[in-house]
Amino acid sequence: MNKSNQNKDPIFNCDDAIYMCAKREVDNCNLGIYGVNYDGTTSFRPGARFGPSSIRQVSNGIESFCPQLNLDLEDINFTDFGNLEINFGAPEPVIKKVKTASNFIYSLGMKPLLIGGEHSITIGSIQSTIEYFPNLILIQLDAHADLREEWLGSKFNHACVMRRCLEMISSERVFQVGIRSGTKKEMHELRKTKRLVNFISGQPAKELYNALNPHKGKPIYLTVDVDWFDPSVISGTGTPEPGGFTWQDFSAIINVLQNHKIIGADIVELAPQLDPSGVSSIVGAKITRSLIMLLSISQSTIR
């Protein structure tokens, strides 16, 4: 990579497959994706470290064209930097490297899209994004509230990701969509603060539309934990939660977000080996396609 090779930190490993239609070069690209193959804080079933490779490997099995957004990946210039070089172990060094990597991508005038890996990596990405966009809006699609102060002895566990993000972003600028699992304390907090955006499967995303309407034009970061989907759609995830959502529901979310300024995103918690059918990986690749397109719609906002 021409520009990335000028910078020794972060270090990306390009030995993995490449996401369909992506480039390895950064010239004329306004979007950069990278994988973070880490699942060191997974609290139930591990395997999310295999998510980035699986998404890339199956990406050629879906069409490059999206009828909903009327966009084609072949018409979008974007870079696949490969996987971030990380050490397995404690999450803090990984989060630090994620921040460095996202800073690097923003410094090139590009928007970052992270492919995880588990949800703790979002902390590093938000640490980076908030430096560039102090008035950032954060949207979480997730089955779980992720509001624990600490879990299994770590404040940077994937069950604590939103608590850490709330230390950087004020509560009124955080929207947690369709959360259906959490402790009594977490769910009470969600309702009291009005961060919980209710969403009914099979219906338009009216409540999200209404919640975001006063924030039109503000920068938005979207984090997608794949366990937001029902296990019948994505079973390959570490902590599946019945009662989730369908692809049509995700499309309803996209319908709302395509009219907003998305400046960064991630997809996390895909554990492909837990779904021998491979369907979860295909859905993950299609989610990634939608995120690439959302980020590309307003390409000129970073430079």
Side-chain angles (χ1 to χ4, degrees):
M1 300 179 193
N2 296 337
K3 293 183 182 178
S4 62
N5 284 340
Q6 299 172 12
N7 193 326
K8 300 301 182 183
D9 189 15
I11 299 174
F12 297 103
N13 186 332
C14 298
D15 293 338
D16 202 353
I18 188 170
Y19 192 87
M20 68 165 170
C21 300
K23 303 177 180 180
R24 288 298 191 197
E25 299 78 23
V26 300
D27 295 336
N28 300 315
C29 293
N30 292 300
L31 166 64
I33 68 176
Y34 69 96
V36 188
N37 51 344
Y38 178 74
D39 60 1
T41 77
T42 301
S43 52
F44 186 29
R45 304 187 299 176
R49 64 186 180 274
F50 302 114
S53 295
S54 183
I55 284 175
R56 290 187 176 101
Q57 289 166 1
V58 305
S59 62
N60 284 313
I62 62 175
E63 299 288 353
S64 62
F65 179 71
C66 174
Q68 179 186 6
L69 293 172
N70 195 32
L71 294 172
D72 198 311
L73 289 181
E74 292 183 353
D75 299 324
I76 299 172
N77 291 324
F78 67 103
T79 302
D80 185 345
F81 285 96
N83 289 334
L84 185 63
E85 290 274 5
I86 59 172
N87 296 320
F88 290 101
E92 289 88 342
V94 177
I95 290 168
K96 183 178 180 179
K97 284 197 170 185
V98 168
K99 179 184 178 182
T100 299
S102 289
N103 274 344
F104 174 70
I105 291 174
Y106 280 127
S107 74
L108 295 176
M110 304 168 71
K111 300 177 182 180
L113 170 57
L114 287 66
I115 305 175
E118 43 107 316
H119 215 161
S120 65
I121 68 173
T122 300
I123 301 169
S125 191
I126 294 299
Q127 287 174 344
S128 167
T129 305
I130 200 74
E131 292 181 357
Y132 287 83
F133 302 95
N135 61 336
L136 184 68
I137 304 292
L138 175 58
I139 299 175
Q140 174 200 19
L141 303 188
D142 204 322
H144 307 94
D146 291 344
L147 289 169
R148 296 175 187 265
E149 181 59 37
E150 64 86 27
W151 186 243
L152 300 178
S154 172
K155 294 180 67 175
F156 296 94
N157 187 281
H158 70 159
C160 309
V161 58
M162 295 305 291
R163 179 62 63 207
R164 301 287 79 80
C165 289
L166 283 163
E167 294 171 349
M168 297 177 274
I169 305 173
S170 60
S171 181
E172 65 272 12
R173 290 188 282 117
V174 175
F175 300 97
Q176 298 176 259
V177 184
I179 310 299
R180 61 188 184 275
S181 180
T183 65
K184 181 179 179 181
K185 181 178 179 181
E186 286 177 303
M187 299 308 292
H188 176 72
E189 176 183 336
L190 277 178
R191 295 187 177 100
K192 181 180 179 181
T193 59
K194 299 182 180 180
R195 290 197 306 268
L196 179 62
V197 179
N198 290 317
F199 184 52
I200 300 174
S201 182
Q203 299 294 320
K206 291 182 179 179
E207 190 161 334
L208 179 61
Y209 174 87
N210 292 335
L212 291 180
N213 197 46
H215 301 283
K216 204 74 176 287
K218 293 181 182 178
I220 293 175
Y221 187 100
L222 173 65
T223 179
V224 181
D225 185 328
V226 300
D227 65 27
W228 182 81
F229 289 86
D230 191 76
S232 62
V233 179
I234 294 183
S235 60
T237 187
T239 315
E241 187 70 37
F245 301 97
T246 67
W247 183 262
Q248 288 73 24
D249 297 326
F250 183 67
S251 295
I253 299 290
I254 296 298
N255 282 338
V256 172
L257 295 181
Q258 67 177 312
N259 297 309
H260 288 270
K261 181 180 175 181
I262 313 300
I263 48 76
D266 62 58
I267 170 175
V268 295
E269 299 288 351
L270 174 69
Q273 84 287 359
L274 298 175
D275 178 8
S277 75
V279 171
S280 297
S281 295
I282 293 170
V283 178
K286 195 170 180 179
I287 295 168
T288 302
R289 185 187 72 181
S290 294
L291 296 179
I292 291 170
M293 291 177 175
L294 271 183
L295 288 162
S296 74
I297 290 173
S298 55
Q299 290 181 339
S300 62
T301 57
I302 303 297
R303 294 187 185 280

